[in-house]
C-alpha cells in the first residue's frame, strides 16, 4: 500500500533520494511492554520524515534503537547498504547519526560550550582549550541564528533554550542523519521558527531528518513524508501532499476526534483568587482575578515571568510587593503547604525537575498530594491507594503495565499525564497548569481539556499557562499576555487575533533584536 | 489507546519482598554452613551472643536507613552511641531513677538529630559535613565530660537487663522487634514514610506536591539520632560502663548493613527488613570468622568484599528489571 502510493505519485525531490537507512523487522521489548513490534521502514537521504503516534506508541523507543542508546530485541538496521550493529551511541555518531532527545540529556552544571563539545573536547597536550571552545561554540550558535551566549551554565537557560543548544550540538558532529524527538514541546513560536530554519537548511545540505511531534501543523509545515506508529506497529507511511490532518489522527488512534478544544462556557462565579499589584522575582505589578468556572490563560514567551508569577501565588517564592486575596480576604502564602491548604494545586512546567519522583512507582506519584486524605492518623489505606491510582490511570489513559511501574519507564507524554493526574483527585479550588500538555498526544489532549471542563463545572478556577498559542486561545475565558515580567494586555475569549497577541508578546524583544542587527 | 499493553505479563512487583527473601536465604545458608563446620556456632551461648551483637547494629541501621532514603547520610551515629553511654552512666551514678536516665539519654539523641536537621535545612550544610562534624565533636565532648576515663555503672538492675533473656531470647533481640515493628509500619504504611521516599527521589517535586520537605528531613535525622541513643543505652547496659570512645566505627557498620539490605545511597530505595537482615548477616560473618579462627584483619576484608558483591548484584537486577 505504501509503495504503490509512492510509485503512482513520485514526489520529485524524493526521486533522487536513495535509501540511506533501512529498518528490517526492528523490534523492542521491555519487561512488561512490547514497545516496538517488528517495523520495516526506509528513510531516503535528504528527506524530512515525520513520525507521529500516540503517547507510548514507540516513537522514542525507535529513536533510542537508531542512536544506540538501547539495544534492540531483534531485527536489522541497514545503514547505506551495510547492516549496522548500532550498539553504542558512539557508533551511531561515528556513522553520522545524531539525535536531539525528547528530554534534554546534557549536563546542566557545565557551560553551553562544554556541552556542545562534550566527548569531543578540544585539548592540547591534554589541557582543555576552554577559551577556544567557547569561541567556537559561540560562532556555531551565532551562525545558526540562535541568540544565546556560549559561556553561561546550561542550567541557567530555559528548557526551550537548552533544547536549541542540544540541536546545535547535534549539528556540529558531521551529521548525515539527524533525529528530533518533539523538539518544539518547550519552544515558543519564535524559537521554533529558528529551529525550522535550521532544519530546512540541514535538509538543503542533504541531511536526512526524522521529526517527531504531536503538533500536526508542524508536520505539515516541515515534512516530506510521515509515518504513523500505533501501539508499536507501523500503520502506514504517507507523502505529506497526499494526506491530511484527519487521516493521520485516524491512523494514530484508530478513531476520529471531532473536537480537540472542548470548551463549555460557564458564567464565572465569585472570585477565587486575586492578585493586586503583585511583584516578585521575574515579574512586576501584576493584577488579575480568577473566578469560579473560569479559565484564565497566560500567554507569553518563555522567560516572560508567567511561571514565576504563579509559583509566587503558590508560595514557592516570596512576593516583594502587592497583595494576594483568597476568596476576598487577604492571605499570606508563605509556603506551598499554605497554598495547598487554601485550596490551590500546581502542575509545574518541568516534569523531570519539578513534577515527578522518577524512580518511584506511578501510583506513588499519583497519590503523593493526597496521602493525607487517604490515610487516617497513622496508616495509609492501601485499598484507597490502589483505587485512586487506578482511577487516574484509567481516566487519563496512562499507558503503564501496572501502577507499580517506575515513573521513569513511562513515555514522555505519559509522564506528563501523571503530573496533571495527581491533582485531579485532590479537590482543589484553584488549579494552576503550567504547560500541561507538553508532549501529550491529540487524543489525550482532548481528554485533558474535557477534564478541565469537569473541574470548572464543580466550581473550580483554572490558570492555564501555555506557550502554544492555539491552546490558550481556544480555552481561556480571559487571556493575559505577559512580556518581560509585565502584564501587557488582557483579552476576552477570542477577542483578539492570533497576530495581535503574538505582537503583544513579542514587541519589545523584536525591537531589541532589530536594534542588534 | 488499546488495552493490549496493559494485559501483557505483569512485572514482578514485589521486588522488595523478593530481595528480602534472598537475604534471609543467605543468612540461613551462613548459619547452616557454620553449624556444620564449627562445633561451637550452634551453641545457645554463641547464638545469644550473636543476636546481642547484631541487635545493636540492626537498630542503628534502621535509623540510618531513614536518613539514606531521603538521600542523606548520618555519620554521627557511632559517636552518638558512645556519647549516650556516658550520659546514661553519669545519670544513673548520680542517683537518678533508671527510667529517667534512659529518657534523658533518648532526648539527647533526639536533640542531636534535630541539630543535624537544622544544619541541613536552615544552614544549608551537606549531610555528610554536618554529621561528620558531630562525629568528632561529640567524642570530644564525651571525653571532656569523663576526663577521658570510663565510668563504671553502679546499678545491677540496669546492667542485668542486657544479659537476661525473655522466653529464651536475649532481651537485646527483643529490642530489635520493639524498634523494627513500629519502624516498618512507619516506613511502609504511613504517609510520613512515603514522604521520606518522595523527598529522596525529588525534593522539589515533593515540595510542590505539598510535602513538608524540611520537616521530613528533620524527622529522618531525629529518628536516626534516637535509634543511636537507644543503642547507646543498650550498650551501656551490656558492658556496664559509660565511655565516649565506645562504638568506634559503628556508623560504617550501620551504613554497610543498610546498603547490604538493599538501601540505595542515591535515595528513595530502601526498607526496614533489609537493614535488619543486613546487620545480622554482618554479625554472623564476624562471629563465624572468630569461630573459624580467621584473622580479624580478614574479617574486615570479607565485609568489604561482601558489600561490593551484594550491591553489585542488587544493582544488576534493578537495572535488568
Ligand atoms: N525504560 C523503559 N522500561 C520499560 N518500559 C519502557 C521504557 N521506556 C519506554 N517504555 C515503554 O515503551 C512504550 C513506548 O515508549 P516510547 O517512549 O517509545 O513512547 P513514545 O511514542 O515516544 O511516546 P511519547 O509521545 O509519550 O513520547 C511505552 O509503553 C513505555 O511505557
Ligand atoms: Mg517519546
Amino acid at each position: 500500500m505504501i509503495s504503490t502510493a509512492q510509485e503512482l505519485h513520485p514526489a520529485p525531490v524524493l526521486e533522487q533520494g536513495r535509501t540511506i537507512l533501512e529498518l528490517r523487522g526492528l523490534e523492542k521489548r521491555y519487561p512488561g511492554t512490547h514497545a516496538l513490534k517488528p517495523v520495516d521502514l526506509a528513510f531516503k537521504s535528504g528527506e524530512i520524515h515525520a513520525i507521529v503516534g500516540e503517547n507510548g506508541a514507540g516513537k522514542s523507543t525507535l529513536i533510542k534503537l537508531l542512536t544506540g542508546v538501547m539495544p534492540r530485541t531483534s531485527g536489522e538496521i541497514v545503514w547505506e547498504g551495510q547492516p549496522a550493529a548500532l550498539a553504542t551511541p558512539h557508533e551511531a555518531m561515528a556513522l553520522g547519526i545524531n539525535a536531539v532527545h525528547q528530554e534534554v540529556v546534557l549536563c546542566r552544571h557545565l557551560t553551553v560550550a562544554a556541552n556542545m563539545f562534550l566527548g569531543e573536547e578540544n585539548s592540547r597536550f591534554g589541557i582543555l582549550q576552554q577559551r577556544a571552545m567557547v569561541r567556537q561554540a559561540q560562532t556555531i550558535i551565532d551562525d545558526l541564528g540562535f541568540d544565546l551566549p556560549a559561556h553561561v551554565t546550561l542550567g541557567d537557560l530555559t528548557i526551550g533554550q537548552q533544547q536549541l543548544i542540544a540541536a546545535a550540538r547535534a549539528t556540529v558532529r558531521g551529521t548525515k542523519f539527524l533525529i528530533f524527538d518533539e523538539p518544539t514541546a518547550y519552544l515558543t513560536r519564535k524559537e521554533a521558527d529558528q529551529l525550522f530554519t535550521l532544519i530546512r537548511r540541514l535538509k538543503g545540505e542533504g541531511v536526512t531528518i526524522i521529526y517527531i511531534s504531536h503538533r500536526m501543523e508542524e508536520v505539515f509545515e516541515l515534512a516530506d513524508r510521515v509515518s504513523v506508529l500505533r501501539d508499536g506497529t507501523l500503520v502506514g507511511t504517507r507523502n505529506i501532499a497526499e494526506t491530511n490532518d484527519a487521516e493521520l489522527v485516524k491512523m494514530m488512534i484508530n478513531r476520529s476526534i471531532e473536537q480537540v478544544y472542548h470548551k463549555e462556557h460557564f458564567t464565572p462565579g465569585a472570585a477565587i483568587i486575586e492578585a493586586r499589584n503583585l511583584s516578585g522575582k521575574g515579574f512586576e505589578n501584576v493584577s488579575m482575578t480568577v473566578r469560579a468556572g473560569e479559565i484564565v490563560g497566560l500567554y507569553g514567551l518563555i522567560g516572560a515571568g508567567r511561571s514565576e508569577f504563579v509559583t509566587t501565588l503558590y508560595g514557592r517564592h516570596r512576593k516583594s510587593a502587592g497583595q494576594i486575596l483568597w476568596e476576598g480576604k487577604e492571605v499570606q502564602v508563605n509556603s506551598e503547604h499554605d497554598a495547598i491548604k487554601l485550596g490551590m494545586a500546581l502542575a509545574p512546567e518541568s516534569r523531570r525537575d519539578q513534577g515527578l519522583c522518577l524512580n518511584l512507582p506511578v501510583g506513588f506519584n499519583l497519590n503523593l498530594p493526597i496521602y493525607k486524605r487517604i490515610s487516617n492518623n497513622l496508616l495509609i489505606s492501601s485499598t484507597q491507594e490502589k483505587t485512586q491510582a487506578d482511577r487516574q490511570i484509567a481516566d487519563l489513559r496512562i499507558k503503564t503495565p501496572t501502577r507499580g511501574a517506575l515513573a521513569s519507564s513511562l513515555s514522555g507524554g505519559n509522564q506528563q499525564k501523571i503530573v496533571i493526574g495527581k491533582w485531579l483527585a485532590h479537590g482543589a479550588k484553584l488549579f494552576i497548569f503550567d504547560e500541561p500538555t507538553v508532549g501529550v498526544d491529540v487524543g489525550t489532549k482532548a481528554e485533558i481539556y474535557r477534564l478541565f471542563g469537569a473541574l470548572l463545572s464543580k466550581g473550580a478556577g483554572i490558570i492555564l499557562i501555555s506557550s502554544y498559542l492555539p491552546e490558550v486561545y481556544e480555552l481561556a475565558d480571559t487571556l493575559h499576555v505577559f512580556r518581560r515580567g509585565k502584564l501587557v494586555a488582557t483579552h476576552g475569549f477570542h477577542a483578539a487575533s492570533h497576530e495581535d497577541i503574538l505582537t503583544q508578546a513579542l514587541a519589545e524583544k523584536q525591537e531589541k533584536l532589530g536594534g542588534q542587527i | 489507546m488499546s488495552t493490549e499493553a496493559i494485559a501483557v505479563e505483569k512485572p514482578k512487583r514485589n521486588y522488595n519482598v523478593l530481595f528480602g527473601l534472598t537475604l534471609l536465604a543467605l543468612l540461613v545458608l551462613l548459619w547452616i554452613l557454620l553449624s556444620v563446620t564449627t562445633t561451637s556456632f550452634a551453641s545457645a551461648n554463641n547464638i545469644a551472643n550473636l543476636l546481642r551483637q547484631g541487635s545493636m547494629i540492626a537498630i542503628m541501621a534502621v535509623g540510618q536507613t531513614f536518613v539514606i532514603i531521603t538521600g542523606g547520610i548520618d555519620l554521627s551515629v557511632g559517636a552518638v552511641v558512645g556519647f549516650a553511654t556516658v550520659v546514661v552512666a553519669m545519670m544513673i551514678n548520680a542517683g537518678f531513677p533508671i527510667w529517667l536516665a534512659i529518657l534523658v539519654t533518648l532526648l539527647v539523641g533526639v536533640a542531636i538529630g534535630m541539630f543535624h536537621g537544622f544544619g541541613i535545612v536552615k544552614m544549608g550544610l551537606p549531610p555528610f559535613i554536618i554529621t561528620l562534624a558531630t562525629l568528632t565533636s561529640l567524642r570530644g565532648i564525651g571525653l571532656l565530660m569523663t576526663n577521658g576515663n570510663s565510668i563504671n555503672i553502679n546499678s545491677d538492675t540496669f546492667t542485668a537487663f542486657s544479659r537476661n533473656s525473655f522466653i529464651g531470647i536475649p532481651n537485646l533481640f527483643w529490642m530489635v522487634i520493639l524498634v523494627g515493628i513500629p519502624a516498618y509500619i512507619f516506613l511502609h504504611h504511613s504517609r510520613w514514610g512515603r514522604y521520606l521516599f518522595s523527598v529522596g527521589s525529588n525534593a522539589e517535586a515533593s515540595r510542590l506536591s505539598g510535602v513538608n520537605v524540611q520537616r521530613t528531613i528533620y524527622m529522618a535525622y531525629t529518628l536516626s539520632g534516637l535509634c543511636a541513643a537507644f543503642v547507646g543505652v543498650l550498650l551501656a547496659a551490656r558492658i556496664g560502663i559509660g565511655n565516649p570512645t565506645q562504638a568506634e566505627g559503628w556508623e560504617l557498620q550501620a551504613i554497610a548493613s543498610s546498603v547490604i539490605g538493599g538501601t540505595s545511597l542515591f535515595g528513595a530505595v530502601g526498607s526496614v527488613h533489609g537493614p535488619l537482615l543486613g546487620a545480622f548477616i554482618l554479625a554472623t560473618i564476624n562471629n563465624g570468622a572468630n569461630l573459624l579462627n580467621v584473622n580479624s584483619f580478614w574479617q574486615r576484608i570479607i565485609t568489604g568484599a561482601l558489600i561490593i558483591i551484594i550491591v553489585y548484584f542488587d544493582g544488576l537486577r534493578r537495572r535488568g528489571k
Side-chain angles (χ1 to χ4, degrees):
Chain A
M1 169 180 91
I2 300 159
S3 54
T4 44
Q6 281 166 262
E7 277 154 23
L8 288 177
H9 312 277
V13 59
L14 301 179
E15 188 76 303
Q16 308 142 1
R18 68 208 152 78
T19 297
I20 182 164
L21 180 83
E22 198 181 340
L23 316 178
R24 293 186 190 149
L26 191 66
E27 184 181 12
K28 175 72 189 177
R29 281 173 194 274
Y30 296 107
T33 311
H34 199 172
L36 211 56
K37 297 168 191 157
V39 164
D40 296 287
L41 184 57
F43 299 98
K44 301 176 176 186
S45 67
E47 75 168 334
I48 300 182
H49 195 122
I51 298 182
V52 296
E54 278 189 305
N55 294 132
K59 305 178 297 294
S60 299
T61 301
L62 178 67
I63 297 331
K64 286 178 188 153
L65 300 187
L66 287 183
T67 48
V69 174
M70 289 258 187
R72 55 185 180 258
T73 307
S74 69
E76 227 179 22
I77 299 175
V78 182
W79 172 257
E80 297 191 314
Q82 303 290 324
L86 287 176
T88 63
H90 196 82
E91 191 189 339
M93 280 178 205
L95 293 178
I97 303 177
N98 278 292
V100 179
H101 288 283
Q102 185 169 13
E103 314 286 352
V104 178
V105 280
L106 297 177
C107 307
R108 307 186 38 170
H109 299 286
L110 299 181
T111 62
V112 168
N115 270 294
M116 297 231 346
F117 295 107
L118 195 66
E120 303 185 350
E121 283 82 0
N122 178 354
S123 62
R124 188 179 294 160
F125 311 120
I127 312 274
L128 285 184
Q129 303 298 104
Q130 305 222 21
R131 233 178 274 143
M133 271 161 49
V134 171
R135 237 185 355 256
Q136 285 174 17
Q138 193 66 60
T139 320
I140 294 163
I141 293 172
D142 292 346
D143 186 41
L144 294 175
F146 302 159
D147 178 22
L148 296 170
H151 61 273
V152 299
T153 309
L154 188 79
D156 293 342
L157 301 180
T158 66
I159 307 176
Q161 291 167 333
Q162 293 181 22
Q163 200 90 41
L164 288 182
I165 296 299
R169 175 186 142 90
T171 60
V172 298
R173 316 205 148 209
T175 298
K176 290 188 200 160
F177 195 95
L178 186 53
I179 303 161
F180 291 92
D181 193 354
E182 295 187 43
T184 52
Y186 288 102
L187 299 191
T188 56
R189 185 64 221 180
K190 176 171 150 270
E191 290 162 336
D193 281 337
Q194 293 177 348
L195 186 74
F196 291 171
T197 314
L198 169 65
I199 291 177
R200 292 207 184 86
R201 189 173 110 186
L202 290 168
K203 173 188 151 96
E205 291 165 7
V207 177
T208 311
I209 312 260
I210 294 187
Y211 188 85
I212 297 178
S213 179
H214 288 295
R215 298 186 183 163
M216 288 302 150
E217 68 278 12
E218 290 177 355
V219 169
F220 284 96
E221 190 177 335
L222 275 177
D224 301 309
R225 292 199 299 163
V226 50
S227 293
V228 182
L229 281 177
R230 183 170 71 226
D231 272 329
T233 312
L234 180 71
V235 280
T237 300
R238 298 279 184 275
N239 283 335
I240 206 73
E242 293 151 17
T243 186
N244 58 43
D245 215 293
E247 186 193 19
L248 291 183
V249 171
K250 181 102 203 305
M251 286 165 83
M252 272 161 64
I253 60 179
N254 215 4
R255 62 194 158 90
S256 34
I257 295 185
E258 296 86 55
Q259 200 189 2
V260 177
Y261 297 106
H262 175 87
K263 178 152 184 65
E264 294 165 48
H265 287 273
F266 297 98
T267 333
I272 295 175
I273 197 169
E274 184 183 347
R276 271 195 201 153
N277 307 101
L278 201 66
S279 299
K281 188 178 157 281
F283 65 94
E284 244 182 282
N285 202 14
V286 173
S287 301
M288 70 172 67
T289 308
V290 184
R291 291 164 296 175
E294 181 186 39
I295 297 185
V296 173
L298 308 187
Y299 181 74
L301 297 184
I302 285 173
R306 299 164 301 164
S307 298
E308 288 80 357
F309 170 70
V310 293
T311 47
T312 305
L313 283 184
Y314 196 67
R316 181 71 189 89
H317 301 294
R318 291 265 153 162
K319 64 175 198 262
S320 58
Q323 291 171 301
I324 300 173
L325 281 77
W326 181 263
E327 297 181 328
K329 281 196 282 287
E330 184 171 1
V331 287
Q332 298 301 327
V333 191
N334 292 323
S335 68
E336 305 80 0
H337 205 68
D338 290 354
I340 292 167
K341 258 213 295 237
L342 283 173
M344 296 190 217
L346 170 77
E349 118 189 84
S350 162
R351 59 177 168 253
R352 286 187 92 82
D353 297 338
Q354 307 170 301
L356 289 175
C357 296
L358 278 172
N359 56 354
L360 291 173
V362 173
F364 187 115
N365 275 286
L366 284 168
N367 284 324
L368 189 55
I370 58 167
Y371 269 125
K372 194 159 188 176
R373 224 185 54 217
I374 60 173
S375 58
N376 59 21
N377 285 329
L378 189 62
L379 300 183
I380 294 168
S381 149
S382 59
T383 21
Q384 282 244 40
E385 195 177 16
K386 285 179 195 135
T387 46
Q388 289 288 359
D390 286 343
R391 203 180 83 209
Q392 299 309 333
I393 290 172
D395 280 0
L396 287 169
R397 298 190 229 189
I398 298 175
K399 192 172 174 186
T400 172
T402 67
R403 75 182 102 77
L406 298 187
S408 58
S409 74
L410 265 57
S411 77
N414 283 297
Q415 290 178 357
Q416 184 64 30
K417 295 182 203 171
I418 301 178
V419 177
I420 305 292
K422 69 172 167 184
W423 288 113
L424 296 180
H426 185 257
K429 278 194 193 134
L430 176 72
F431 290 87
I432 304 171
F433 293 115
D434 196 348
E435 308 283 0
T437 57
V438 163
V440 170
D441 66 49
V442 246
T444 315
K445 262 190 197 167
E447 205 54 48
I448 289 176
Y449 300 149
R450 222 185 310 278
L451 285 166
F452 284 3
L455 295 175
L456 296 176
S457 72
K458 284 189 219 142
I462 292 178
I463 298 182
L464 173 66
I465 298 186
S466 180
S467 301
Y468 184 52
L469 185 52
E471 183 169 82
V472 263
Y473 192 78
E474 300 300 333
L475 291 173
D477 299 288
T478 310
L479 176 59
H480 298 292
V481 183
F482 275 63
R483 186 177 68 220
R484 309 190 130 227
K486 295 206 179 73
L487 202 168
V488 290
T490 299
H491 309 285
F493 179 68
H494 278 200
S497 68
H498 275 223
E499 288 71 28
D500 289 346
I501 296 170
L502 266 175
T503 323
Q504 286 161 352
L506 285 167
E508 221 174 326
K509 199 128 188 188
Q510 277 183 341
E511 281 158 27
K512 188 180 144 246
L513 274 183
Q516 280 178 347
I517 297 161
Chain B
M1 183 175 302
S2 88
T3 46
E4 276 169 54
I6 296 166
V8 294
E9 64 191 279
K10 224 169 133 184
K12 295 154 206 86
R13 115 172 211 283
N14 271 334
Y15 176 79
N16 248 342
V17 173
L18 215 70
F19 185 70
L21 286 178
T22 318
L23 285 180
L24 192 63
L26 180 63
L27 187 60
V28 170
L29 188 76
L30 280 173
W31 284 0
I32 294 174
L33 270 179
L34 286 169
S35 313
V36 174
T37 50
T38 70
T39 45
S40 43
F41 180 80
S43 73
N45 214 345
N46 185 56
I47 294 287
N49 201 19
L50 188 155
L51 288 182
R52 288 200 183 97
Q53 189 55 33
S55 295
M56 291 193 278
I57 300 293
I59 293 171
M60 287 168 76
V62 168
Q64 184 71 252
T65 301
F66 293 156
V67 168
I68 298 181
I69 286 174
T70 67
I73 192 106
D74 189 348
L75 295 178
S76 74
V77 287
V80 174
V81 172
F83 188 68
T85 63
V86 173
V87 175
V88 79
M90 283 181 132
M91 285 195 66
I92 288 175
N93 286 359
F96 289 99
I98 292 179
W99 66 266
L100 185 64
I102 293 177
L103 185 71
V104 169
T105 310
L106 295 183
L107 287 178
V108 167
V110 167
I112 294 169
M114 299 277 279
F115 173 70
H116 291 152
F118 178 83
I120 294 162
V121 166
K122 299 288 181 205
M123 297 168 70
L125 297 175
F128 189 95
I129 300 300
I130 178 93
T131 57
L132 183 67
T134 329
L135 184 160
T136 73
S137 32
L138 265 188
R139 297 242 189 246
I141 296 172
L143 286 167
L144 276 180
M145 284 165 62
T146 59
N147 264 330
N149 303 321
S150 288
I151 304 168
N152 287 310
I153 298 174
N154 54 21
S155 159
D156 286 339
T157 359
F158 181 65
T159 47
F161 174 81
S162 67
R163 269 177 271 122
N164 291 344
S165 300
F166 177 65
I167 49 174
I169 293 171
N171 281 348
L172 285 186
F173 188 77
W174 285 112
M175 294 301 111
V176 176
I177 294 172
L178 185 79
V179 171
I181 290 175
Y184 179 84
I185 293 174
F186 169 80
L187 186 65
H188 296 291
H189 292 284
S190 84
R191 63 175 200 273
W192 301 286
R194 293 286 197 280
Y195 295 162
L196 290 178
F197 284 99
S198 79
V199 167
S201 176
N202 188 339
E204 180 69 11
S206 310
R207 179 174 289 131
L208 292 175
S209 302
V211 175
N212 191 330
V213 174
Q214 304 201 340
R215 194 158 67 195
T216 308
I217 288 174
Y218 268 108
M219 192 170 64
Y221 286 87
T222 305
L223 288 173
S224 178
L226 178 63
C227 284
F230 184 54
V231 171
V233 171
L234 299 180
L235 181 65
R238 182 150 193 239
I239 58 179
I241 56 171
N243 183 328
T245 58
Q246 280 297 324
E248 187 92 60
W250 282 21
E251 59 278 347
L252 295 183
Q253 292 207 41
I255 294 168
S257 304
S258 187
V259 167
I260 289 175
T263 315
S264 160
L265 286 173
F266 296 110
V269 178
S271 66
V272 167
H273 53 269
L276 292 182
L277 289 167
F280 285 102
I281 289 175
L282 276 187
T284 305
I285 289 174
N286 288 340
N287 180 281
N290 279 335
L291 297 180
L292 290 169
N293 274 328
V294 176
N295 185 329
S296 77
F297 303 154
W298 272 105
Q299 293 180 24
R300 295 172 182 236
I301 299 173
I302 293 171
T303 309
L306 189 78
I307 293 175
I308 294 176
I309 293 168
I310 293 189
V311 176
Y312 173 71
F313 278 111
D314 185 30
L316 268 193
R317 286 180 42 185
R318 260 173 229 285
R319 257 172 282 146
K321 217 176 109 170

